[in-house]
Amino acid sequence: MKRRTLLALAASTLLLAACGQSTSDTDNNTTDSAATGGSDLLQRINNGGTINVGTEGTYPPFTYHDKSGKLTGYDVEVTRAVADKLGVDVEFKETQWDAMLAGLDSKRFDMVANQVSLTTPERKAKYDKAMAYSWSGAVVLAPTDDNRYGSWEDLKGLRTAQSLSSNYGELAERYGAEIVPVDGMAQAIQLVKQDRADFTMNDNLAVLDYLKKFPDAALEIKLTAPASEQRGSGLVLIKGDDAVVAKLDEAMAELAADGTLTKLSEEFFGADVSQQK
């Protein structure tokens, strides 16, 4: 009787151990699946599902609502073109800029299309960026008939209208220009047009947007930052899903090759901003 009881206890112990092992294996599989980070997104892309993309919707010409209320803009239309190449639907989640990356972290959306460039070590360690679809950098804007701008060294001694806290002001001072303080780009342009400043310096994309809106301003870009100082913006997602990044890169490369990026650039900026100059 004692021997039978001991055998029964041993069998029960083995059964419990097996069940525990089975449960543990299941838990490990679940953990491993979750740890792949982005496998769900990859499956949705492979199966023609929907990708969710965070964007502002209030930042023209990149992401905004047109007169009919439709969400559009360069970043928005590029994302739609990428979705078409991937064979998926896209749903935009409009979010304030300050909450954009936090929304990505909390998985409110899969990626961000909002002129994000990973310029800090912290961002580079946390996020991945697909192939850039726009490039920006400092440019010098001056009157069309002013021919003094052969090189950046020619800025020495000239007056530039800049915000005192602007990085562009620091760059202009580095080349020996004299700062004429202003509150922003609109005021800076007015001073240049009034000959109260020789030039102003700002981001290439912002200046192209202005020139597209005001083609009769009698101003033009005289100098453009070298390629090494330009920043590329692309679709940004949480690091760890290399397969998705590869698919985004492939789709973006096709859009560059077939002229779609150039066409969209010229539509929103009047120039091709999709290539590094």
Side-chain angles (χ1 to χ4, degrees), residues 135-138 204 224-232 275-277:
W135 291 89
S136 64
N204 178 51
T224 300
S228 60
E229 295 182 14
Q230 294 178 23
R231 300 183 309 277
Q275 300 182 40
Q276 192 173 20
K277 306 290 184 185

Side-chain angles (χ1 to χ4, degrees), residues 13-277:
T13 302
L14 287 172
L15 180 61
L16 287 171
C19 290
Q21 181 65 42
S22 176
T23 302
S24 177
D25 287 345
T26 301
D27 289 343
N28 286 339
N29 288 339
T30 302
T31 302
D32 289 343
S33 177
T36 58
S39 60
D40 172 62
L41 174 58
L42 182 61
Q43 289 175 15
R44 278 184 277 132
I45 291 175
N46 288 338
N47 297 326
T50 299
I51 59 173
N52 301 300
V53 180
T55 194
E56 270 183 280
T58 57
Y59 182 31
F62 306 103
T63 164
Y64 66 99
H65 291 266
D66 63 17
K67 292 180 180 178
S68 70
K70 176 189 174 184
L71 180 67
T72 187
Y74 180 64
D75 289 43
V76 171
E77 300 306 333
V78 167
T79 304
R80 286 184 173 134
V82 168
D84 285 344
K85 286 289 185 185
L86 294 175
V88 299
D89 294 324
V90 57
E91 183 176 342
F92 291 97
K93 307 284 188 181
E94 293 183 46
T95 306
Q96 292 181 345
W97 168 251
D98 291 344
M100 195 70 63
L101 294 181
L104 187 59
D105 293 340
S106 63
K107 298 185 179 180
R108 282 191 55 222
F109 28 79
D110 304 309
M111 60 194 77
V112 167
N114 209 95
Q115 285 298 297
V116 179
S117 55
L118 304 181
T119 56
T120 65
E122 292 79 14
R123 284 187 178 181
K124 290 178 180 178
K126 193 172 184 179
Y127 306 104
D128 274 329
K129 183 184 71 182
M131 174 180 165
Y133 54 78
S134 69
W135 291 89
S136 64
V139 295
V140 169
L141 182 69
T144 304
D145 59 2
D146 189 343
N147 299 314
R148 292 178 290 177
Y149 302 91
S151 70
W152 287 84
E153 284 68 27
D154 293 331
L155 301 182
K156 185 174 182 179
L158 299 182
R159 301 164 299 164
T160 181
Q162 305 292 160
S163 301
L164 290 176
S165 60
S166 166
N167 292 335
Y168 302 112
E170 295 177 5
L171 180 60
E173 284 186 315
R174 208 183 310 158
Y175 283 101
E178 175 189 341
I179 302 297
V180 179
V182 294
D183 292 329
M185 180 175 168
Q187 185 183 7
I189 288 175
Q190 281 302 112
L191 293 190
V192 173
K193 293 174 72 173
Q194 295 167 1
D195 197 29
R196 294 165 60 191
D198 297 304
F199 71 92
T200 186
M201 193 183 298
N202 212 300
D203 180 78
N204 178 51
L205 300 181
V207 170
L208 286 173
D209 180 46
Y210 170 82
L211 293 175
K212 186 174 186 296
K213 291 176 179 175
F214 303 99
D216 300 325
L219 300 172
E220 69 179 19
I221 294 174
K222 299 292 185 178
L223 297 170
T224 300
S228 60
E229 295 182 14
Q230 294 178 23
R231 300 183 309 277
S233 295
L235 294 170
V236 169
L237 58 165
I238 294 176
K239 189 177 284 293
D241 206 344
D242 295 343
V244 171
V245 174
K247 284 183 174 292
L248 294 174
D249 285 348
E250 183 180 357
M252 204 70 74
E254 290 178 10
L255 294 173
D258 67 19
T260 300
L261 293 184
T262 297
K263 181 181 177 181
L264 289 173
S265 291
E266 291 175 346
E267 176 184 344
F268 288 98
F269 298 98
D272 190 358
V273 302
S274 68
Q275 300 182 40
Q276 192 173 20
K277 306 290 184 185

